[in-house]
Amino acid sequence: DRVMTQSPLSLPVTLGQSASISCKSSQSLVFRDGVTYLNWLQQRPGQSPRLLIYNVSNRDSGVPDRFSGSGSATDFTLRISSVEADDVGVYYCLQTVGWPWTLGQGTKVEIK
Amino acid sequence: EEEVVESGGGLVQPGGSLRLSCVVSGFSFNNHFMSWVRQAPGTGLEWVAVIKRLSATYYMDSVKGRFTISADSAKKSLFLQMNSLRVEDSGLYYCVRERGDLWGQGTLVTVSS
């Protein structure tokens, strides 16, 4: 199984400052079609998860442009350029290149 | 509006069975991967099972042989038949489209004696 390791697991941030979350996979997430199947999900308190980023760097519909994704093969990063109160929650990376689809442990973002 | 709505959760004793349902609306059900994802209280997410294009199915190891994912395109519904339930199967079960682009509100399964 592809093991997804996120860091940090807890991320206190100041409003308006930037934040970065790392996600590392135990195997490459590049499929034979050339697409890298790495997504980022956001789960606000008490809500269902929501897709933020798909295929490493593509924002889903309606996602603010302060969210960006980058990386390749096994190392990926989610960046929030200017954290707002609405960004509090848990962020997960998700790989869907091969079964079983696996997620990172989650990174809890909170406001200092 | 695109939507998925889960139902069927509840309290069941260890060894018992439950059947979860997910009704979809606003999109063509036949052309998508559909999944069940669960979340135990206070913990992370686990991708339980996937059905691809109403045919191929995949399961996480701990539920193989006990859970069955299926779909009925006429009813626009996804199902998860859960047998031989264990305490560790407890959690909120979400119906999810594709690689996470649409989620329901979840249905709660509690396995306890």
Side-chain angles (χ1 to χ4, degrees):
Chain A
D1 296 2
R2 289 167 182 82
V3 177
M4 307 299 289
T5 303
Q6 288 183 230
S7 63
L9 299 185
S10 178
L11 185 55
V13 295
T14 301
L15 288 174
Q17 295 298 304
S18 65
S20 289
I21 300 170
S22 170
C23 174
K24 296 184 186 299
S25 172
S26 61
Q27 301 175 48
S28 173
L29 302 184
V30 183
F31 193 54
R32 55 178 175 262
D33 61 4
V35 176
T36 302
Y37 288 100
L38 185 282
N39 291 358
W40 289 96
L41 308 174
Q42 175 197 58
Q43 188 172 30
R44 293 177 173 136
Q47 295 188 14
S48 301
R50 163 201 183 193
L51 179 64
L52 286 180
I53 303 284
Y54 64 94
N55 299 352
V56 181
S57 59
N58 299 281
R59 278 187 299 276
D60 197 32
S61 176
V63 174
D65 59 7
R66 64 178 183 276
F67 291 94
S68 63
S70 63
S72 62
T74 60
D75 288 355
F76 305 93
T77 301
L78 175 70
R79 185 170 184 269
I80 312 173
S81 62
S82 178
V83 172
E84 299 184 3
D86 206 32
D87 300 334
V88 165
V90 181
Y91 292 78
Y92 298 92
C93 58
L94 162 68
Q95 72 79 18
T96 61
V97 72
W99 189 257
W101 294 358
T102 48
L103 299 102
Q105 315 97 301
T107 295
K108 187 173 185 178
V109 172
E110 58 185 11
I111 304 301
K112 283 183 183 176
Chain B
E1 181 186 358
E2 297 177 333
E3 190 178 28
V4 295
V5 179
E6 307 93 336
S7 62
L11 173 64
V12 62
Q13 291 188 339
S17 298
L18 276 177
R19 189 186 195 217
L20 306 184
S21 299
C22 167
V23 178
V24 313
S25 58
F27 64 95
S28 176
F29 182 73
N30 298 356
N31 299 325
H32 292 276
F33 299 2
M34 294 296 298
S35 300
W36 289 97
V37 178
R38 71 184 181 189
Q39 186 170 36
T43 69
L45 300 163
E46 290 185 308
W47 220 275
V48 175
V50 173
I51 184 165
K52 295 186 176 182
R53 312 288 192 261
L54 304 182
S55 56
T57 59
Y58 301 86
Y59 301 92
M60 63 183 296
D61 282 349
S62 65
V63 309
K64 280 180 186 174
R66 301 189 297 122
F67 290 13
T68 303
I69 187 171
S70 62
D72 184 330
S73 58
K75 296 181 178 179
K76 295 188 177 180
S77 293
L78 179 73
F79 305 102
L80 186 68
Q81 178 66 44
M82 305 187 295
N83 299 330
S84 302
L85 280 161
R86 304 169 181 169
V87 171
E88 56 265 33
D89 294 319
S90 297
L92 193 58
Y93 282 70
Y94 295 102
C95 175
V96 182
R97 186 180 70 180
E98 287 292 340
R99 293 176 166 87
D101 73 333
L102 182 65
W103 295 68
Q105 290 303 304
T107 186
L108 184 62
V109 172
T110 304
V111 185
S112 174
S113 54

